Amino acid sequence: MKKISLIALASLFATNAYALDYTVDNWKFKLDADGMVGFLETRDDKPMFIDDWDIKATALYRLNQSQRIGAVYSIDAACVDDDEYVHDAFVLFEDRTVGRAEFGLTYSIARKMGLGLPDVGYLRINNKSILQDKLDLDKVLISDTTATTGHDALRLNLATISTEYGQYGISVAGPGGDFDFAIDTAAKFKQPFGKLKAAYSIALSYMDKPDGYEENSFTPPVTADWRGQVALGANLQYNSWVFGLSSRLIYDEKPIMKTADGLVLGTGVSYDFLQSSVSLNYIYSDTNLFTHHDEITGAEMEGDYLHTLIASFRYKYTEHTAIFMSGGITDTTPFFAVGIKTGF
């Protein structure tokens, strides 16, 4: 075993937290926040403090009984770690009989409709994993299974209303990103009746001429003719059991330098009992799944693979506060996490 990592997490906000929600006339204002602080201990016996948090502010104005406009701004630890200070900054229009439109800086429909894995351990395994970042595994990996083209480009999202049967959407992005343009489409299908309830998602994404595009800290910048992605997800619920399957395939056409495309597969299960929940998840990442050669040097580019197994337990102390612990192994690196997450 290479190293044993211990993450001890403590509360960032008071345990009696509550949502900040204010309504006056046709206006509604809302502030949501949650967070954790703690430290990471590695084999060099030099503990490093870590934190995870997010803050979201929303303002909505009701035009009539079925329509409203608004604006959203959010920031979180993941984007600050990448020297960015905006996660979401967009305006929106909603019609409860038709759907929703968003314009600004935000993730695409492919990301927002994607179904991830049932996780109760607060390690953010469905979005820029804390675990993979803090363990510093020195590998190129695709850490999550939902398709993304980032949130740095001006983007238009259009989505139908979410019904008990499903939802559909399309996104178009252009100025501001490290690519010429991107088009994403997604659909979510539901089967809400009977003892076995199911939801399925599919997303297709095309990015034209990525130039130094970097998805997250686990992948090198991508420069290629184009990038295509396909993401599939399924969640099955039977009583207190939830089963999840999720996958993402990434293909880069004529990439330059080290490649970051490949395949990630994930599966998991969770079970709720009283105020507690447990989950078990397995994730496999394999980069450079396709045979690639550097377009400039002609050299063959090598990829990396990674197995991750995570078991988690959560006890919901109050509506907004939960105590949790997680353990598992990433290839030859075991880890253990414990802490409290709370917010309002």
Side-chain angles (χ1 to χ4, degrees):
M1 293 185 295
K2 294 182 179 179
K3 60 183 178 180
I4 297 179
S5 301
L6 172 65
I7 304 175
L9 301 175
S11 171
L12 180 62
F13 298 101
T15 57
N16 61 346
Y18 56 90
L20 300 180
D21 196 333
Y22 178 69
T23 302
V24 54
D25 296 330
N26 291 338
W27 287 96
K28 181 175 182 178
F29 303 93
K30 188 175 182 181
L31 182 66
D32 299 280
D34 60 62
M36 301 178 292
V37 294
F39 63 87
L40 170 69
E41 183 178 317
T42 62
R43 60 181 175 179
D44 58 9
D45 295 325
K46 294 180 180 179
M48 178 180 64
F49 283 97
I50 63 172
D51 67 285
D52 182 39
W53 52 268
D54 62 80
I55 301 172
K56 179 180 179 181
T58 305
L60 298 170
Y61 180 78
R62 181 165 54 87
L63 299 172
N64 50 52
Q65 293 299 319
S66 63
Q67 297 178 332
R68 61 183 182 177
I69 58 175
V72 173
Y73 171 80
S74 72
I75 186 171
D76 59 27
C79 67
V80 172
D81 287 344
D82 292 334
D83 295 323
E84 301 173 353
Y85 297 93
V86 174
H87 184 111
D88 289 304
F90 62 88
V91 295
L92 63 91
F93 171 77
E94 293 179 334
D95 188 310
R96 66 174 58 182
T97 63
V98 179
R100 175 182 173 111
E102 301 172 346
F103 179 73
L105 305 177
T106 189
Y107 280 124
S108 75
I109 288 296
R111 186 72 156 188
K112 294 186 176 186
M113 286 192 187
L115 293 174
L117 302 176
D119 171 46
V120 304
Y122 300 124
L123 295 178
R124 215 168 54 206
I125 66 173
N126 289 313
N127 181 11
K128 298 190 71 171
S129 167
I130 296 174
L131 179 65
Q132 310 297 359
D133 186 28
K134 299 306 179 183
L135 289 182
D136 190 21
L137 298 170
D138 193 28
K139 285 188 175 184
V140 175
L141 64 103
I142 307 168
S143 67
D144 57 74
T145 55
T146 52
T148 182
T149 49
H151 58 93
D152 299 326
L154 283 175
R155 187 184 311 273
L156 175 65
N157 288 339
L158 299 174
T160 63
I161 58 173
S162 179
T163 70
E164 61 183 4
Y165 297 104
Q167 188 177 21
Y168 310 91
I170 186 170
S171 301
V172 179
D178 295 321
F179 47 80
D180 282 3
F181 67 89
I183 300 176
D184 295 357
T185 61
K188 186 184 294 185
F189 308 99
K190 299 178 183 179
Q191 181 187 322
F193 307 111
K195 289 186 176 181
L196 181 64
K197 298 177 175 61
Y200 309 94
S201 68
I202 180 171
L204 304 175
S205 174
Y206 174 83
M207 180 191 298
D208 192 61
K209 293 183 174 60
D211 185 5
Y213 170 77
E214 190 169 8
E215 180 174 322
N216 54 47
S217 57
F218 320 122
T219 58
V222 177
T223 299
D225 282 4
W226 54 268
R227 162 170 283 198
Q229 299 179 74
V230 179
L232 301 172
N235 282 170
L236 306 176
Q237 181 179 353
Y238 181 79
N239 293 331
S240 296
W241 291 93
V242 176
F243 302 89
L245 291 168
S246 194
S247 64
R248 173 161 57 132
L249 180 69
I250 304 174
Y251 176 80
D252 293 331
E253 176 68 14
K254 297 181 179 179
I256 298 174
M257 305 302 288
K258 193 169 185 178
T259 183
D261 64 0
L263 174 70
V264 60
L265 297 170
T267 184
V269 59
S270 69
Y271 179 74
D272 297 329
F273 56 99
L274 301 177
Q275 294 177 262
S276 301
S277 303
V278 293
S279 68
L280 179 67
N281 287 285
Y282 167 75
I283 303 171
Y284 172 72
S285 170
D286 190 354
T287 56
N288 196 23
L289 185 65
F290 311 99
T291 302
H292 282 317
H293 296 80
D294 191 303
E295 288 297 303
I296 296 178
T297 66
E300 185 172 349
M301 294 182 285
E302 297 181 355
D304 294 312
Y305 67 89
L306 189 74
H307 303 270
T308 303
L309 182 67
I310 306 170
S312 300
F313 168 80
R314 178 181 66 201
Y315 175 75
K316 196 170 184 180
Y317 182 69
T318 69
E319 181 182 357
H320 302 283
T321 303
I323 303 168
F324 73 94
M325 58 182 176
S326 297
I329 188 168
T330 299
D331 280 359
T332 57
T333 304
F335 59 88
F336 178 74
V338 60
I340 300 173
K341 179 175 181 177
T342 187
F344 61 82

